[in-house]
């Protein structure tokens, strides 16, 4: 019997109109756990590196995490893995809610979608009954409305729906896949779904998920609900904190340009809170998690939607508007299915180009004069790919190059073609430098998270922090204790911090646990409910896979190297591993390169950011190294100079819970 | 007969709808508790408490499985509470032909909440940290003691109502031959 997982994937070929239920290899679960780990393996095996992300041959994979459907609280994040039309590289975008567990209860660990339907379709999954159905009546419908219509049509409110809006249908590269209070938003996964002419997936499942060690697992989970509920250092604080000063005073407004320190004041807080009281209707959580990180918004004249995370502020800050505008435009963009992180930057970028005379009244006929009006105008152009909207729909990086005439200068906040968090900071921070450069997700919030961003100034407070820091391997405690404000940590520390931070995300993304309870939250308060030292036990008890912290790290390394290899095969090299160019005012090119050298060495990669044969073979990824040698990417004689550091990394796994 | 007032303990789960965050941990816990062996499998469809949920209309109502009925209601009420519309079904605990709530997904047999016998508080309440579900026991006067049909009889009765006497008897006869 398979524990925690179902042991079956659902294979959909939309070109053929075929549906298959395929048994999976349990050995792959032991090697990769699940989620994006096993998805990366499928993409490696089946999508050749020359496949265009928007072509039928690209695969769109919805993966449950290994722990979905088990009682482990907060295991509900679905990985949407594919190749991104924005970056032409691998993307793993995540969404919470209820979709993943429902899919597992329907009897599948993954849905693997290939091909392209001849007209707009939706996929209906009810246990063993799987149908590709006509969706022409849903064309142009908003994401939330599509979900509601499918629930009505299928006469079941317990159906979970993931849908694209008009943006996805028109393959806008900021298009999302939306599921009630969550969405897989990054790098154009919605455009890939649109390219397959798949409007939505409606899933309903009523089957059991078995766990390997029932009594002990339940005891741990039952206690965890309370711990998570009580723990103020986990969940999304933005959902309930009305003091927005941290973001509005420190993050850059417009096209990631202007800091407005002192913007926040008491009067503004009162205005913003009163607006929130008018439009917010309800808090909600996700499947099997007691936190309430989302809330529904009912804005007059707009379809009801759920507010997620930082999109609470992104549009008003990009447009230099007040909070009312943000709630209003989210009503539009949530229905169209647009990423709340990158879209505002694309819009602000276009406004800047207009003000600079690079885009003219010819490109933007009847362009309004106010920030809000301009944003609404541009959104409509983009989702329909009308006129200049057709160019802007490709994201800042590509649009800048298509427009030319100096527009490239205004693309100053992307890394690997991805719009980054709008931050303008002073002195470079090396762990963050490494994360921006090398992170496969190209989105800092999906890479950072276990090690604090800055030291506490008071050494006594640092000591206290470290004493309660169960989540951290010993060496990080030492580095943190010795870290004085405005000082750089040793190179070795920065490299290790980057590695630990990203490793925890690779763990979450394989087992499906939410980063707000785990990989993202340790940096604030140092007490994430899930961490390196307690997760192996949950995995063992739920899935029956014997695992300790070192074993878990090894799987994270395997998944990390496989994902990197997918990107290497598609051309990723050191040359593009750079942070956004004006993220920090004070840079030190020589030290930066030393950090990169050290990081690659630590990872067992070549100086050009490619995993060596030795590294790959050591992780059981021999088939990757063989492919690299065949393609001439590696000779096979590259030396792994990192044997010593690898050993050091292993020593971290032996303490904690 | 004594004149003493007869009392019984009424077990009550109080539901504060405003506190539900739609996590459905109640369903997870209930299905695990009633699995055999305990907590060996999880499946909200087997849960004896279900969250009637219409997210975009802000309807979140945890309902506990009550009695089985062979016939659905002749009509429905709909209630408007603080501007939100709830169907009568949103509050109804009955396992009935009109919906698939509170039926074993494999057999279609009705499910009924047993307040997690043997536990101090029902499991759904234990895991409901946001405090939507709370548990109370109170003494209540009651009339003459009723004779409760055994659990097997309840199950058989529902099978008979669903499939008719003949089919149940045939099945019983066939099964006893196998034994």
């Amino acid at each position: 019997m398979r524990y925690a997982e179902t042991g079956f994937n659902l294979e959909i070929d939309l070109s053929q109109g075929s549906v298959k239920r395929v048994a999976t290899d349990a050995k792959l679960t032991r090697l990769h756990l699940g989620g994006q780990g096993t998805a990366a393996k499928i993409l490696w095996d089946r999508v050749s590196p020359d496949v265009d992300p928007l072509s039928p041959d690209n695969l769109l994979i919805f993966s449950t995490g290994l722990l979905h459907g088990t009682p482990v609280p907060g295991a509900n994040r679905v990985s949407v893995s594919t190749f991104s039309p924005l970056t032409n590289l691998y993307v793993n975008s995540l969404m919470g809610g209820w979709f993943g567990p429902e899919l597992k209860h329907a009897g599948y660990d993954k849905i693997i979608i290939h091909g392209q339907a001849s007209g707009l379709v939706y996929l209906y999954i009810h246990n063993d009954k799987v149908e590709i159905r006509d969706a022409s009546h849903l064309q142009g419908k908003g994401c939330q409305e599509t979900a509601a219509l499918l629930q009505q049509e299928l006469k079941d409110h317990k159906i979970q729906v993931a849908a694209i809006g008009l943006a996805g249908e028109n393959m806008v590269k900021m298009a999302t896949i939306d599921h009630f209070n969550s969405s897989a938003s990054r790098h154009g996964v919605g455009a890939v779904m649109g390219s397959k002419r798949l409007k939505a997936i409606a899933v309903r499942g009523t089957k059991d998920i078995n766990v390997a060690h029932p009594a002990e697992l339940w005891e741990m989970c039952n206690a965890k609900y309370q711990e998570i509920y009580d723990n103020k250092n986990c969940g999304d604080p933005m959902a309930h904190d009305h003091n927005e000063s941290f973001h509005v005073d420190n993050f850059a407004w417009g096209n990631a340009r202007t800091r407005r320190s002192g913007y926040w004041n008491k009067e503004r807080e009162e205005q913003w809170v009163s607006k929130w009281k008018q439009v917010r209707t309800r808090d909600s959580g996700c499947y099997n998690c007691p936190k309430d990180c989302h809330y529904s918004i009912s804005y007059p004249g707009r379809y009801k939607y759920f507010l997620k995370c930082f999109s609470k502020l992104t549009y008003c800050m990009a447009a230099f508007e007040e909070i009312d505008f943000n709630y209003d435009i989210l009503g539009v963009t949530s229905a169209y299915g647009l990423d709340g992180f990158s879209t505002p930057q694309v819009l602000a970028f276009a406004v800047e180009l207009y003000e600079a005379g690079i885009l003219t009244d010819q490109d933007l006929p009847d362009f309004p004069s106010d920030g809000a009006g301009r944003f609404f105008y541009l959104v409509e152009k983009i989702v329909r790919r009308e006129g200049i909207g057709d160019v802007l729909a490709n994201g800042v990086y590509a649009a800048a190059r298509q427009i030319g005439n100096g527009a490239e200068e205004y693309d100053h906040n992307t890394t690997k073609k991805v719009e980054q968090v709008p931050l303008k900071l002073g002195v470079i921070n090396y762990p963050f430098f490494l994360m921006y450069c090398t992170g496969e997700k190209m989105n800092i919030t999906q890479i950072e998270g276990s090690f604090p961003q800055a030291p506490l100034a008071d050494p006594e407070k640092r000591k206290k922090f470290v004493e309660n820091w169960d989540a951290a391997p010993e060496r990080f405690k030492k580095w943190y204790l010795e870290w004085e404000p405005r000082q750089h940590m040793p190179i070795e520390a920065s490299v290790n911090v980057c590695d630990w931070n990203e490793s925890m995300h690779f763990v979450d993304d394989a087992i499906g646990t939410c980063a707000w309870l785990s990989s993202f939250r340790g940096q604030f308060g140092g007490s994430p409910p899930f961490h390196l030292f307690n997760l192996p036990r949950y995995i063992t008890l739920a899935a029956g896979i014997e695992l300790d912290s070192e074993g878990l790290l090894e799987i994270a390394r395997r998944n990390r190297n496989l994902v990197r290899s997918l990107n290497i095969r598609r051309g990723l090299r050191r040359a593009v591993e750079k942070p956004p160019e004006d993220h920090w005012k004070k840079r030190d090119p020589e030290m930066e390169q030393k950090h990169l050298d050290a990081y690659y060495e630590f990872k067992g990669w070549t100086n050009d950011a490619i995993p060596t044969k030795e590294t790959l073979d050591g992780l059981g990824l021999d088939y990757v190294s063989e492919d690299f040698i065949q393609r001439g990417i590696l000779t096979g004689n590259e030396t792994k100079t990192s044997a010593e550091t690898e050993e050091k990394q292993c020593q971290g796994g032996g303490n904690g819970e | 007969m004594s004149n003493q007032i007869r009392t019984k303990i009424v077990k009550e789960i109080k539901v504060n709808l405003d506190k539900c965050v739609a996590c459905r941990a109640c369903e997870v816990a209930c299905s695990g508790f009633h699995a055999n062996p305990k907590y060996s499998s999880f499946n909200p469809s087997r849960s004896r408490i279900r969250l009637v949920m219409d997210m975009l209309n802000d309807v979140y109502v945890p309902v506990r499985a009550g009695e089985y009925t062979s016939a659905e209601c002749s009509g429905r009420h709909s209630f408007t509470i603080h501007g939100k519309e709830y169907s009568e079904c949103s509050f109804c605990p009955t396992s009935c032909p009109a919906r698939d709530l509170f039926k074993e997904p494999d057999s279609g047999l009705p499910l009924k909440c047993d307040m997690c016998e043997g536990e101090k508080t029902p499991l759904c309440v234990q895991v409901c940290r946001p405090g939507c579900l709370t548990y109370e026991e109170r003494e209540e006067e009651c009339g003459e003691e009723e004779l409760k049909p055994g659990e097997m009889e309840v199950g058989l009765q529902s099978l008979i109502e669903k499939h008719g006497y003949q089919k149940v008897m045939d099945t019983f006869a066939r099964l006893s031959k196998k034994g």
Side-chain angles (χ1 to χ4, degrees):
Chain A
M1 189 194 277
R2 298 280 272 271
Y3 295 111
E5 60 179 351
T6 67
F8 291 94
N9 289 340
L10 190 58
E11 297 264 2
I12 309 291
D13 189 324
L14 291 171
S15 299
Q16 307 283 333
S18 69
V19 168
K20 266 188 260 170
R21 179 172 174 262
V22 179
T24 61
D25 182 353
K27 203 177 92 199
L28 289 176
T29 309
R30 285 193 297 275
L31 287 173
H32 301 284
L33 292 180
Q36 81 152 342
T38 35
K41 172 74 167 84
I42 292 165
L43 289 170
W44 176 271
D45 289 343
R46 289 167 50 182
V47 183
S48 77
D50 52 351
V51 165
D52 182 311
L54 294 178
S55 78
D57 282 338
N58 190 12
L59 294 181
L60 177 65
I61 306 177
F62 289 76
S63 301
T64 63
L66 180 62
L67 299 182
H68 287 191
T70 75
V72 177
N76 52 48
R77 302 280 287 175
V78 175
S79 277
V80 179
S81 308
T82 184
F83 290 104
S84 156
L86 183 73
T87 63
N88 198 35
L89 299 172
Y90 170 81
V91 53
N92 176 57
S93 190
L94 299 151
M95 62 184 190
W98 301 263
F99 189 89
E102 194 73 31
L103 179 62
K104 239 192 196 166
H105 286 299
Y108 311 100
D109 297 320
K110 289 184 197 306
I111 313 172
I112 303 164
I113 299 153
H114 179 259
Q116 183 184 62
S118 54
L120 199 65
V121 295
Y122 78 89
L123 187 64
Y124 175 45
I125 304 167
H126 186 181
N127 295 332
D128 297 340
K129 178 171 145 184
V130 180
E131 292 175 1
I132 301 166
R133 294 181 166 194
D134 175 55
S136 49
H137 60 302
L138 300 171
Q139 190 156 13
K141 297 284 185 214
C143 300
Q144 295 73 30
E145 192 183 357
T146 298
L149 287 169
L150 283 175
Q151 286 186 335
Q152 270 167 30
E153 181 177 323
L154 300 163
K155 296 190 179 61
D156 190 347
H157 270 300
K158 290 192 288 303
I159 280 173
Q160 300 299 339
V161 178
I164 56 170
L166 193 58
E169 286 179 41
N170 289 333
M171 290 178 267
V172 171
K173 294 182 184 174
M174 298 84 80
T176 62
I177 300 170
D178 266 64
H179 161 62
F180 295 108
N181 66 359
S182 304
S183 69
S185 291
R186 307 315 318 278
H187 310 185
V189 290
V192 176
M193 191 150 154
S195 76
K196 304 206 168 301
R197 298 197 184 117
L198 180 61
K199 176 70 178 173
I201 302 174
V203 61
R204 175 86 174 95
T206 64
K207 298 187 187 187
D208 297 344
I209 294 299
N210 300 302
V211 298
H213 301 282
E216 196 184 337
L217 178 66
W218 177 253
E219 196 182 324
M220 280 172 70
C221 294
N222 198 358
K224 209 70 180 172
Y225 289 114
Q226 184 76 58
E227 186 196 322
I228 291 171
Y229 184 74
D230 291 340
N231 186 338
K232 299 286 173 247
N233 290 326
C234 70
D236 183 357
M238 289 187 70
H240 302 288
D241 187 2
H242 292 295
N243 182 351
E244 308 288 1
S245 59
F246 175 74
H247 289 107
V248 296
D249 285 355
N250 291 308
F251 282 52
W253 292 60
N255 181 26
R257 293 287 189 193
T258 320
R259 261 175 80 165
R260 298 169 86 183
S261 42
Y263 173 81
W264 195 248
N265 55 40
K266 221 53 235 147
E267 194 189 341
R268 187 158 265 120
E269 182 164 340
E270 277 164 24
Q271 284 167 8
W272 284 33
V273 169
S274 102
K275 181 45 74 181
W276 170 80
K277 281 183 180 160
Q278 276 172 34
V279 297
R280 168 235 179 230
T281 47
R282 180 84 201 208
D283 295 341
S284 89
C286 293
Y287 186 83
N288 205 28
C289 175
K291 289 290 186 196
D292 50 355
C293 300
H294 308 276
Y295 47 88
S296 52
I297 299 284
S298 191
Y299 192 94
R302 305 290 182 210
Y303 208 90
K304 199 178 271 186
Y305 66 91
F306 278 88
L307 194 123
K308 295 153 223 152
C309 194
F310 193 35
S311 65
K312 183 181 187 180
L313 302 174
T314 49
Y315 284 98
C316 64
M317 288 181 70
F320 292 97
E321 289 286 351
E322 292 292 320
I323 196 74
D324 178 68
F325 164 71
N326 208 88
Y327 290 128
D328 190 9
I329 197 167
L330 274 176
V332 175
T333 56
S334 300
Y336 284 147
L338 282 168
D339 174 22
F341 200 99
S342 56
T343 309
Q345 295 199 40
V346 175
L347 304 177
F349 162 76
V351 169
E352 263 194 1
L353 292 187
Y354 179 77
E355 280 167 356
I358 297 171
L359 289 179
T360 63
D361 287 327
Q362 233 173 353
D363 302 304
L364 300 161
D366 307 316
F367 197 43
S369 56
D370 63 308
R374 287 173 166 184
F375 269 37
F376 280 116
Y377 173 104
L378 288 165
V379 162
E380 297 299 328
K381 294 267 180 223
I382 287 172
V383 293
R384 290 183 176 76
R385 282 189 171 270
E386 271 171 16
I388 195 69
D390 189 36
V391 174
L392 294 170
N394 296 328
V396 168
Y397 178 91
R401 277 138 196 92
Q402 277 177 274
I403 294 165
N405 196 21
E408 295 93 331
E409 295 296 309
Y410 294 80
D411 161 29
H412 67 109
N413 195 42
T414 59
T415 294
K416 295 174 190 164
K417 306 180 186 172
V418 177
E419 296 80 8
Q420 299 295 319
V421 61
L423 268 174
K424 296 285 153 265
L425 300 169
V427 181
I428 191 165
N429 171 323
Y430 287 109
F432 273 80
F433 166 79
L434 287 174
M435 288 186 273
Y436 273 110
C437 289
T438 65
E440 234 68 44
K441 278 202 190 155
M442 300 136 204
N443 175 17
I444 197 66
T445 57
Q446 294 288 328
I447 309 165
E448 66 179 341
S450 290
F451 194 85
Q453 299 180 355
L456 290 161
D458 179 355
E460 275 310 306
K461 282 190 182 157
R462 284 211 294 277
K463 216 173 129 208
K464 198 140 182 131
F465 181 92
V466 162
E467 277 166 11
N468 296 316
W469 202 11
D470 294 340
E474 285 306 314
R475 63 189 185 284
F476 292 100
K477 297 180 183 173
K478 179 175 162 284
W479 283 320
Y480 186 68
L481 277 176
E482 291 168 357
W483 192 17
E484 295 295 336
R486 286 174 298 282
Q487 277 187 9
H488 295 299
M489 287 191 290
I491 292 180
E492 188 197 5
S494 295
V495 165
N496 272 270
V497 165
C498 177
D499 176 74
W500 179 36
N501 282 351
E502 65 177 12
S503 295
M504 294 316 296
H505 282 280
F506 275 88
V507 169
D508 277 341
D509 297 353
I511 60 178
T513 35
C514 177
W516 289 114
L517 304 177
S518 169
S519 54
F520 183 72
R521 287 302 291 172
Q523 62 185 334
F524 308 110
S527 58
F530 294 120
H531 51 74
L532 191 54
F533 302 111
N534 61 17
L535 278 171
R537 191 74 191 138
Y538 284 97
I539 296 168
T540 300
L541 295 176
I545 296 169
E546 285 303 323
L547 206 60
D548 56 15
S549 299
E550 178 43 34
L552 187 58
L553 277 177
E554 190 186 342
I555 293 173
R557 278 201 291 280
R558 181 176 299 118
N559 290 349
R560 169 70 166 114
N561 276 279
L562 185 54
V563 165
R564 160 103 339 190
S565 299
L566 283 170
N567 285 336
I568 290 292
R569 208 162 64 160
R570 292 178 82 90
L572 178 77
R573 295 293 185 275
R574 180 177 184 144
V576 296
E577 303 227 293
K578 296 176 194 160
E581 60 194 51
D582 60 351
H583 189 81
W584 292 286
K585 214 180 257 169
K586 278 196 179 159
R587 302 277 298 267
D588 182 343
E590 198 183 321
M591 269 307 271
E592 288 172 17
Q593 293 313 307
K594 273 190 188 164
H595 275 83
L596 265 185
D597 289 341
Y599 175 82
Y600 295 148
E601 187 184 310
F602 178 92
K603 286 286 192 186
W605 297 353
T606 71
N607 218 23
D608 204 18
I610 306 166
T612 63
K613 180 177 181 342
E614 200 182 341
T615 301
L616 293 165
D617 294 359
L619 292 165
L621 300 171
D622 311 57
Y623 57 91
V624 175
S625 64
E626 277 163 33
D627 181 273
F628 279 178
I629 291 165
Q630 225 169 40
R631 288 174 192 275
I633 292 171
L634 287 178
T635 62
N637 298 321
E638 289 84 359
T639 48
K640 183 168 131 186
T641 50
S642 58
E644 211 186 301
T645 35
E646 282 259 316
E647 245 170 55
K648 275 186 199 155
Q649 191 178 20
C650 299
Q651 287 165 7
N655 48 17
E657 279 191 24
Chain B
M1 270 181 79
S2 75
N3 287 333
Q4 213 177 344
I5 297 166
R6 198 190 294 276
T7 60
K8 62 179 176 185
I9 300 289
V10 174
K11 299 173 171 181
E12 187 172 54
I13 294 175
K14 287 186 176 280
V15 184
N16 182 342
L17 293 186
D18 293 337
K19 290 187 173 176
C20 178
V21 299
C23 71
R24 297 167 55 191
C26 51
E27 299 180 4
V28 174
C30 176
S31 72
F33 180 80
H34 291 98
N36 188 14
K38 253 184 200 174
Y39 307 117
S40 61
S41 72
F42 294 85
N43 183 357
S45 299
R46 292 191 199 281
S47 172
R48 294 137 194 235
I49 182 165
R50 293 306 303 272
L51 185 65
V52 177
M53 191 166 141
D54 181 357
M55 296 217 64
L56 287 165
N57 290 319
D58 297 329
V59 173
Y60 303 54
V61 187
V63 186
R64 197 175 66 89
E67 295 299 332
Y68 165 82
T69 177
S70 57
E72 66 179 278
C73 302
S74 50
R76 309 264 200 285
H77 273 72
S78 74
F79 300 96
T80 301
I81 306 169
H82 294 308
K84 281 186 272 178
E85 195 176 300
Y86 296 84
S87 144
E88 185 174 6
C89 297
S90 300
F91 299 107
C92 178
T94 310
S95 170
C96 94
R99 56 182 188 180
D100 70 350
L101 266 195
F102 307 135
K103 287 171 192 157
E104 279 284 356
D106 306 328
S107 62
L109 285 173
L111 292 162
K112 191 183 162 192
C113 169
D114 59 2
M115 288 282 186
C116 297
E117 270 170 36
E119 287 285 319
K120 224 175 141 195
T121 54
L123 263 288
C124 55
V125 176
Q126 286 186 31
V127 299
C128 184
R129 300 307 176 189
C132 169
L133 305 175
T134 46
Y135 180 69
E136 265 183 22
E137 280 182 6
R138 58 189 159 77
E139 260 189 327
E140 223 175 57
E141 280 181 36
C142 61
E144 272 182 47
E145 202 172 349
E146 284 173 53
L147 239 175
K148 285 183 188 162
E151 264 190 43
M152 188 181 288
E153 203 176 313
V154 174
L156 272 176
Q157 190 60 42
S158 61
L159 275 176
I160 289 163
E161 282 176 31
K162 191 174 166 87
H163 302 291
Y165 275 104
Q166 196 56 48
K167 215 166 193 177
V168 172
M169 279 196 300
D170 290 350
T171 310
F172 185 79
R174 200 168 60 243
L175 279 176
S176 43
K177 265 183 214 156
K178 272 188 201 164

